[in-house]
Amino acid sequence: AKDLAVSMGKMVILDPAPAKGDLPDSIWKDVDYIKPNETELEILVGRSLHGEKELREAATELLAKGVKNVMVSLGGDGLLLLNEDGCEFFPANKVTAVDTTAAGDCFTASFALALSKGESVDEAIRFGQKSSAIAVTRKGAQTSIPTLEEVLNYVPNEK
């Protein structure tokens, strides 16, 4: 599927959940964005990671294999974006989480939607974070996903 998308000039966004180790190196080339959480990143690189320095090093390994952008989800702490330009941290919107089911899927879908509408990467990340912040305040998977209107009207809580 990735190779077909690339051959058609499409953007490739990979959310490696559930993550698998020992993937062929060919999978990484031409991936525009990959969004592992900390545990998934550990599985992808085949070792335990402790602290931000090791997360950055592991993400850099994926960049060296051909991924263009690595977005490491840090749950309620935020997200690290790594690419050839460096590393940027996006703090999470502070909410009281009820159920984190589907938070990553909600983020990735919202991120992709924002990019498809011409938003910048930073704007797309923030849009995805707003969506997932709303989702974790609700129980369930599909039932927790906010509407576009809810996300557009979301005002982050300053805790």
Side-chain angles (χ1 to χ4, degrees):
K2 182 208 76 166
D3 293 337
L4 178 60
V6 170
S7 74
M8 297 173 69
K10 303 298 181 185
M11 180 181 295
V12 176
I13 301 172
L14 176 61
D15 188 342
K20 288 183 61 174
D22 299 325
L23 291 170
D25 283 344
S26 62
I27 196 75
W28 309 117
K29 186 177 180 325
D30 297 319
V31 170
D32 294 291
Y33 296 92
I34 188 169
K35 193 223 54 78
N37 63 28
E38 295 168 87
T39 303
E40 292 159 349
L41 185 57
E42 287 180 336
I43 293 168
L44 293 175
V45 298
R47 66 180 185 282
S48 294
L49 303 171
H50 306 283
E52 186 178 326
K53 181 178 184 273
E54 290 185 15
L55 290 172
R56 287 179 187 222
E57 289 169 354
T60 301
E61 289 175 33
L62 297 182
L63 294 174
K65 291 181 178 186
V67 175
K68 296 173 187 158
N69 297 276
V70 179
M71 300 183 294
V72 182
S73 173
L74 306 172
D77 292 328
L79 180 135
L80 285 174
L81 169 66
L82 292 93
N83 54 38
E84 67 180 12
D85 295 330
C87 180
E88 186 173 355
F89 174 69
F90 294 81
N93 294 297
K94 298 301 178 191
V95 297
T96 301
V98 172
D99 184 355
T100 61
T101 304
D105 295 327
C106 183
F107 170 86
T108 304
S110 298
F111 171 79
L113 173 65
L115 286 181
S116 77
K117 299 292 187 186
E119 300 289 343
S120 71
V121 173
D122 288 9
E123 291 167 328
I125 288 172
R126 289 185 184 97
F127 184 78
Q129 287 181 310
K130 287 179 184 180
S131 295
S132 60
I134 295 168
V136 300
T137 65
R138 303 171 177 170
K139 286 196 174 289
Q142 293 94 336
T143 56
S144 70
I145 307 300
T147 65
L148 177 60
E149 184 177 324
E150 288 175 305
V151 179
L152 294 174
N153 292 323
Y154 178 77
V155 178
N157 192 357
E158 301 292 328
K159 282 189 178 181

